Amino acid sequence: MSNIKVSTEDNVGIIQLDRPEAANALSRQVVGEIVEQLEAFDQKDSVRAIIIKGNKKAFAAGADIDEMMDDSPLSLELADPFAVWDRITLINKPIIAAVSGFALGGGFELALHCDLIVASEDAKFGFPEITLGVMPGAGGTQLLTKAIGKAKTLEWIWLGKPRSAQEALEHGAINRVVAPELVEEETMRLAHQVADQAPVAVRLIKEAVNEAVDTPLIEGSKLERKNFYLTFATEDQKEGMQAFTEKRKPSFKGE
Ligand code: CAA
């Protein structure tokens, strides 16, 4: 059963996350479906820009905690579940995120993998991984640092507290904030504006701008993944995720 809805409007391809019962949590299957569809749109001549969106409550509430809570460093290292995210960085066409509601953990990382982000006034951007005893593992430490710098990134990720769309805009993490009822319309307008430019130039500009960043994202992401997998060697990871499913506050011991 698919967890995304796919459509096109003129020359814009649209991927809508469709797992409302789990706040669009990004199970491995969902991420696989998103990546495959991005690649399909990238190959399709009639599509010139791509939008990723969620629903009113959540763009996406992060990686699926239920799915990973019993993982070990070894199971993660062997399956390398976040490696598939690297394929998003290879998409040539412009990708725009339309964010309403929660963009947390992997959800924020998915938005940051997009080239532009349009957010609703009620959107919340955050990395709550630290409250689970772990850390971002799908590019968050790399992408946010490259977008807004080290100091703001460390505070955002260490404290784990989500920030409003307005704060995210002031930090330079996103492109624009609009009223909730205008998010889809504004994102589509922006997508059409980009899609109507010369496609080869748009593609080459994306490649050149990405090249401007020092460490190749793929290298930084490899280190980040290794560290994420290592957090599964701790009791705090087990406690953090157990506490989430039991809907209580975690008690961390530093082991
Ligand atoms: N994984 C699995 N299930 C999730 C989920 C997640 N990340 N986020 C939400 N859900 C589920 C909830 O368990 C709940 O299911 P039930 O109805 O079966 O209990 C359902 O979605 C609705 O969520 P809530 O009842 O919690 O709704 P809420 O409005 O009270 O809160 C929320 C919404 C603030 C998003 C809250 O659900 C939440 O904090 N979610 C977890 C966010 C999080 O920690 N994300 C990081 C995950 S780790 C990660 O992403 C690593 C990485 O780098 C890739």
Side-chain angles (χ1 to χ4, degrees):
M1 207 180 70
S2 178
N3 294 290
I4 58 170
K5 283 185 187 159
V6 177
S7 57
T8 49
E9 191 178 308
D10 304 322
N11 49 10
V12 177
I14 304 158
I15 299 174
Q16 176 167 23
L17 277 59
D18 189 29
R19 245 196 121 194
E21 72 287 357
N24 286 335
L26 298 166
S27 64
R28 287 162 199 177
Q29 188 188 331
V30 180
V31 178
E33 287 175 14
I34 294 168
V35 172
E36 275 173 26
Q37 189 54 49
L38 284 170
E39 289 173 344
F41 277 147
D42 212 27
Q43 293 299 318
K44 201 168 171 182
D45 288 342
S46 59
V47 170
R48 293 192 182 180
I50 304 165
I51 290 175
I52 302 181
K53 64 183 183 179
N55 54 38
K56 279 202 174 66
K57 179 181 166 105
F59 177 71
D64 191 317
I65 298 171
D66 298 329
E67 186 180 62
M68 69 182 167
M69 64 186 296
D70 294 325
D71 268 315
S72 69
L74 190 61
S75 68
L76 289 167
E77 189 69 40
L78 292 179
D80 205 1
F82 295 152
V84 68
W85 288 72
D86 291 344
R87 283 160 57 191
I88 305 179
T89 66
L90 302 175
I91 300 294
N92 296 305
K93 289 181 182 162
I95 313 173
I96 308 179
V99 178
S100 295
F102 297 106
L104 301 178
F108 193 6
E109 287 166 313
L110 181 60
L112 288 167
H113 270 89
C114 297
D115 302 304
L116 305 173
I117 303 175
V118 176
S120 158
E121 281 162 357
D122 66 10
K124 292 261 181 287
F125 294 88
F127 285 112
E129 283 89 342
I130 191 114
T131 69
L132 299 168
V134 298
M135 61 177 281
T141 60
Q142 306 301 296
L143 290 162
L144 194 59
T145 308
K146 289 177 198 300
I148 69 169
K150 175 181 163 180
K152 289 180 193 157
T153 297
L154 280 174
E155 187 177 340
W156 207 334
I157 301 182
W158 270 343
L159 301 188
K161 189 173 138 300
R163 293 182 189 273
S164 67
Q166 191 54 40
E167 286 173 294
L169 182 70
E170 283 159 16
H171 280 345
I174 66 175
N175 292 79
R176 52 187 80 172
V177 179
V178 296
E181 66 278 12
L182 296 179
V183 178
E184 299 214 1
E185 188 183 319
E186 179 64 15
T187 311
M188 188 54 77
R189 203 172 66 82
L190 184 57
H192 275 127
Q193 282 176 330
V194 179
D196 289 345
Q197 308 288 354
V200 174
V202 167
R203 173 181 173 155
L204 295 179
I205 289 166
K206 174 167 172 168
E207 190 186 343
V209 170
N210 285 338
E211 192 65 28
V213 180
D214 301 335
T215 320
L217 180 55
I218 242 161
E219 292 308 314
S221 292
K222 271 186 199 148
L223 171 79
E224 182 193 86
R225 281 206 293 278
K226 190 171 276 304
N227 289 356
F228 177 91
Y229 299 161
L230 280 176
T231 63
F232 280 69
T234 67
E235 283 304 315
D236 283 348
Q237 172 267 326
K238 289 170 189 59
E239 164 63 9
M241 294 196 176
Q242 195 65 40
F244 173 79
T245 57
E246 291 169 7
K247 301 191 189 294
R248 62 173 171 80
K249 207 167 173 296
S251 164
F252 293 130
K253 302 208 161 47
E255 47 196 51

